[in-house]
Amino acid sequence: MRLGGDRKHRLQAPLRQCEGFWPDRNHRDSPQAWLEIYRVVRAETERRAAPLSPEDQVVQSMPDASPIKWHRAHTTWFFEQFVLASHVPSYRAYDPRFAFLFNSYYVAAGPRHARPKRGLVTRPDVAEVGQYRAHVDAAVEKLLTSIGARIAGDVLPVLEIGLHHEQQHQELMLTDILHAFSDNPTAPAYDPDWRWPPGAGRRDDWCELPEGIHTVGNQTHGFCFDNETPAHRALIGPVRLARNLVTNGEWLAFMRDGGYSRPELWLSDGWATLMGEAWLAPRNWREIDGNWYGFTLNGLSPINESLPVSHVSYYEADAFARWAGKHLPSESEWEVAARAGELEDAFGVVWQWTRSAYGPYPAYRPVAGALGEYNGKFMVNQMVLRGSSVATPPGHARVSYRNFFYPAARWQFTGLRLADFPT
Ligand SMILES: [Fe+2]
């Protein structure tokens, strides 16, 4: 039995914040501390892949999703390219052809295979990708156990980015295999024991944010991606944010009121997408004998009306908010409320769409070199999501974190909370 069932592969409950996961302030210069966290992060990738067969790991169900095998190899290439090749003169690449296969979008790092064709790469096979990972792991471990102070200051920050990068792909591994399984008529379960995290409890009221100037963006000395900086001041409110996420039950009410058949509720691009893709419900919902079922990592089951709605696009979230007579919060409003501890289920359940377009913060500058391509070149035509999801790995969430997707995307664990004007 390869598809789940083995309890050792069960997903861990998500951490709501990243404190306690990464080397603390006193150990950030310690190669030994980074070696230990390197092993933890790399093992999490393998744990997520373990329930999946070689056939599962090669499939690419759409251009936006990547095969599990590719995620495992690409995250490995990242360390090979940006840590080993750059800082270990004696390092020998496992296979020089892998740079072409497993570079994602780094133009400065050289040519690469076409993204929509990743599912056609059956060689190297799953076993060899495992050997590739072991080869790079051995080289990184050797580097960290022998590194001199002279280059540690150059290597450790890049290694740290590589670990956060691998965590991003760990989330994609789950969302991409869920998308692939959702196209399988037998509705296979990734893990039959998978469960939504217990809710934080409902407080059916609003968090009031009076008008004021607040600092948003990353203000810590810990890790963040460049798109979270610089911290800057923003005028907030007056506004109020729902403490709770929108639920499946509320979404059913929207559907029963013609939510998917009333163009006046929708943005023009959203309505065109709905018509083109024949949307009738959130992605992964299926109507069987007049009842709605949802497909997720544990397979197909009746919709639980008390759980947060998931797998909705920005267009759907915006239409729902308009139907409810409300709107979506801006990312700054979300951040100020979350910093104050006023939002239930801000982390670890579903990413929350905001009405903020993904763009640079004032005075933003991407880092120099190929890693400057990490975030900056995507700052157009996408919308910001805040928080984190049930698929986000331990230690990855931050209150200043800016996730971003195109407004029609809905294969991630994406939901919403509402905003309103004060009464
Ligand atoms: Fe990547």
Side-chain angles (χ1 to χ4, degrees):
M1 175 95 174
R2 297 206 58 108
L3 295 178
D6 186 339
R7 298 191 71 82
K8 75 174 186 277
H9 299 315
R10 289 184 62 187
L11 299 181
Q12 296 167 349
L15 293 184
R16 288 173 184 253
Q17 297 286 318
C18 50
E19 289 84 15
F21 186 88
W22 300 98
D24 62 29
R25 226 172 173 168
N26 298 327
H27 296 89
R28 285 184 57 80
D29 299 331
S30 162
Q32 180 61 34
W34 285 106
L35 176 57
E36 290 170 13
I37 196 65
Y38 177 86
R39 289 171 174 157
V40 168
V41 171
R42 296 283 283 173
E44 176 66 14
T45 300
E46 294 302 284
R47 196 175 66 84
R48 291 182 178 221
L52 301 171
S53 70
E55 292 86 348
D56 294 332
Q57 293 198 37
V58 78
V59 70
Q60 181 177 27
S61 54
M62 65 170 173
D64 284 341
S66 296
I68 299 299
K69 186 181 73 174
W70 184 89
H71 285 299
R72 294 173 62 209
H74 162 69
T75 50
T76 303
W77 166 82
F78 194 98
F79 289 109
E80 190 171 59
Q81 172 73 28
F82 296 117
V83 175
L84 298 172
S86 304
H87 300 288
V88 183
S90 61
Y91 177 73
R92 298 279 299 272
Y94 178 89
D95 185 328
R97 299 171 300 178
F98 283 11
F100 182 81
L101 285 179
F102 300 126
N103 178 1
S104 53
Y105 55 68
Y106 298 91
V107 175
R112 70 218 68 85
H113 189 51
R115 178 175 179 167
K117 294 187 175 182
R118 289 172 184 166
L120 301 179
V121 179
T122 59
R123 307 291 177 90
D125 61 17
V126 165
E128 188 168 11
V129 167
Q131 292 163 15
Y132 178 40
R133 287 181 67 88
H135 174 89
V136 168
D137 285 348
V140 170
E141 298 213 2
K142 184 178 175 188
L143 170 64
L144 291 177
T145 51
S146 62
I147 194 169
R150 189 178 59 81
I151 67 166
D154 295 331
V155 169
L156 295 183
V158 181
L159 184 92
E160 185 174 25
I161 293 173
L163 293 171
H164 288 268
H165 169 257
E166 182 142 349
Q167 289 187 315
Q168 291 181 311
H169 281 275
Q170 288 167 0
E171 176 149 4
L172 295 173
M173 289 169 71
L174 295 188
T175 58
D176 292 1
I177 198 64
L178 178 63
H179 186 274
F181 281 179
S182 75
D183 279 340
N184 184 325
T186 68
Y190 166 80
D191 178 356
D193 293 327
W194 184 89
R195 295 289 179 272
W196 282 97
R202 289 186 69 83
R203 285 192 287 168
D204 285 316
D205 62 352
W206 299 83
C207 153
E208 307 277 345
L209 297 180
E211 183 176 294
I213 293 175
H214 298 261
T215 299
V216 295
N218 195 280
Q219 304 162 51
T220 73
H221 297 290
F223 176 85
C224 70
F225 287 114
D226 60 0
N227 62 3
E228 299 165 51
T229 64
H232 58 281
R233 299 198 305 164
L235 176 62
I236 304 292
V239 67
R240 58 181 193 159
L241 271 62
R243 295 192 196 274
N244 299 317
L245 300 171
V246 169
T247 65
N248 287 328
E250 292 165 329
W251 202 269
L252 277 168
F254 167 65
M255 289 165 56
R256 289 174 182 140
D257 198 33
Y260 282 85
S261 57
R262 292 167 52 184
E264 73 271 19
L265 296 175
W266 292 74
L267 293 167
S268 176
D269 285 354
W271 185 251
T273 306
L274 176 154
M275 296 295 285
E277 300 191 10
W279 287 350
L280 296 171
R283 179 172 175 79
N284 297 349
W285 283 32
R286 299 178 191 176
E287 192 172 22
I288 303 173
D289 296 332
N291 296 310
W292 284 103
Y293 288 71
F295 179 71
T296 190
L297 291 168
N298 61 4
L300 193 65
S301 54
I303 290 294
N304 179 337
E305 294 194 20
S306 65
L307 288 174
V309 70
S310 184
H311 301 290
V312 294
S313 63
Y314 174 81
Y315 293 139
E316 290 164 289
D318 175 80
F320 177 94
R322 190 167 295 108
W323 169 79
K326 308 289 190 288
H327 57 272
L328 298 176
S330 73
E331 62 168 320
S332 296
E333 292 164 357
W334 187 99
E335 182 173 326
V336 169
R339 284 187 188 281
E342 298 286 352
L343 304 182
E344 302 288 356
D345 292 329
F347 300 98
V349 184
V350 289
W351 290 98
Q352 296 133 66
W353 288 106
T354 73
R355 71 169 188 274
S356 299
Y358 179 53
Y361 281 167
Y364 166 79
R365 290 287 181 276
V367 298
L371 288 176
E373 298 182 48
Y374 202 109
N375 285 305
K377 72 181 186 182
F378 300 108
M379 289 178 168
V380 68
N381 295 337
Q382 305 199 59
M383 302 302 288
V384 173
L385 301 103
R386 288 304 197 99
S388 64
S389 87
V390 64
T392 308
H396 194 66
R398 280 187 300 281
V399 72
S400 59
Y401 201 105
R402 306 175 78 202
N403 200 355
F404 51 92
F405 277 95
Y406 291 101
R410 57 185 202 155
W411 88 104
Q412 300 293 301
F413 286 91
T414 47
L416 69 153
R417 74 177 67 240
L418 296 175
D420 195 9
F421 297 111
T423 51

